[in-house]
Amino acid sequence: MPGDGAAADKRHAPATLRNRDAIAAVLADWLPASGTVLEVASGSGEHAVHFAAVFPQLDWQPSDPDPSGLTSIAAYRAEAGLANVAPPIALDAAAGSWPVDQANAILCINMVHISPWAATLGLIAGAARLLAPGAPLILYGPYTEPDVSTAESNLAFDASLRSRDPAWGLRDTGVVKAAAATAGLAFDERRAMPANNLMLLFRRT
């Protein structure tokens, strides 16, 4: 279970400070006007409290499968003191059932490439279960694309990931789109982001 919110429990992901404002600018276009945003694989929790502050009209539900991640999220939540951030929940994207049965939007940042493909399939399946028609599933991270040259830095990153775990690696957007379509999620929009990242928007059909 998460700790009591002690500052020492907080983890820091340096990329969060670099990408959070760019992500928030896109979320302003893609998130609903109200409701609950389920963030899958919240990691340290830094994104959760930042976005909850930026979008006070939305309720933020952070989650992570890692106990130390849950502890860190709880610490950031306690520090921020925001009424629209719920306590973090343990959630494994690859699991066939999740400890939540409804969301108005699902956001997943930097998980797809640092997890087995089964986690992405589980994320898509979970979105199909939880989201109402038209509701968004939003992904952020580095990808390869069928008709776009991959940046050398992303190729090197992909090789590094696969050397750490053969089940990890950058996913092809075409493959992700096909898996989403099979589950009932239609691809809606792609946004190019700084540092050769992408944001992908899918909507429940």
Side-chain angles (χ1 to χ4, degrees), residues 11 13 16 37-49 51 60-66 68-70 72-74 76 85-89 91 107-111:
R11 302 192 307 186
T16 304
V37 179
L38 170 62
E39 184 183 5
V40 175
S42 300
S44 67
E46 293 166 280
H47 276 137
V49 295
F51 297 146
W60 215 265
Q61 177 60 73
S63 71
D64 206 81
D66 180 6
S68 63
L70 296 173
S72 179
I73 297 164
Y76 277 104
V85 183
I89 55 175
L91 188 155
L107 173 66
C108 186
I109 296 172
N110 283 334
M111 181 203 81

Side-chain angles (χ1 to χ4, degrees), residues 2-70:
D4 60 5
D9 292 331
K10 294 190 300 183
R11 302 192 307 186
H12 175 55
T16 304
L17 295 178
R18 297 193 298 267
N19 64 32
R20 65 184 188 180
D21 291 330
I23 294 173
V26 179
L27 292 179
D29 292 337
W30 290 357
L31 288 176
S34 61
T36 297
V37 179
L38 170 62
E39 184 183 5
V40 175
S42 300
S44 67
E46 293 166 280
H47 276 137
V49 295
H50 180 73
F51 297 146
V54 173
F55 303 104
Q57 76 279 14
L58 291 165
D59 295 317
W60 215 265
Q61 177 60 73
S63 71
D64 206 81
D66 180 6
S68 63
L70 296 173

Side-chain angles (χ1 to χ4, degrees), residues 5 30 32 43 55 67 72 80 82-83 85 87 91 98 100 102 108-109 121 127 145 149 157 172 195:
W30 290 357
F55 303 104
S72 179
L82 296 170
V85 183
L91 188 155
W98 292 358
V100 56
Q102 185 273 336
C108 186
I109 296 172
L121 293 177
E145 299 182 271
S149 296
F157 184 38
D172 186 286

Side-chain angles (χ1 to χ4, degrees), residues 107-195:
L107 173 66
C108 186
I109 296 172
N110 283 334
M111 181 203 81
V112 171
H113 59 289
I114 315 180
S115 60
W117 177 238
T120 299
L121 293 177
L123 171 66
I124 291 168
R129 291 193 305 271
L130 269 62
L131 296 176
L137 167 64
I138 301 169
L139 308 182
Y140 169 92
Y143 292 86
T144 61
E145 299 182 271
D147 302 317
V148 179
S149 296
T150 304
E152 288 296 329
S153 60
N154 275 2
L155 290 174
F157 184 38
D158 180 59
S160 173
L161 289 171
R162 294 179 189 278
S163 70
R164 292 165 58 190
D165 188 326
W168 294 1
L170 273 61
R171 311 301 179 187
D172 186 286
T173 57
V175 176
V176 176
K177 292 174 186 178
T182 299
L185 294 162
F187 176 68
D188 192 5
E189 191 175 344
R190 164 201 182 276
R191 296 273 185 100
M193 303 296 288

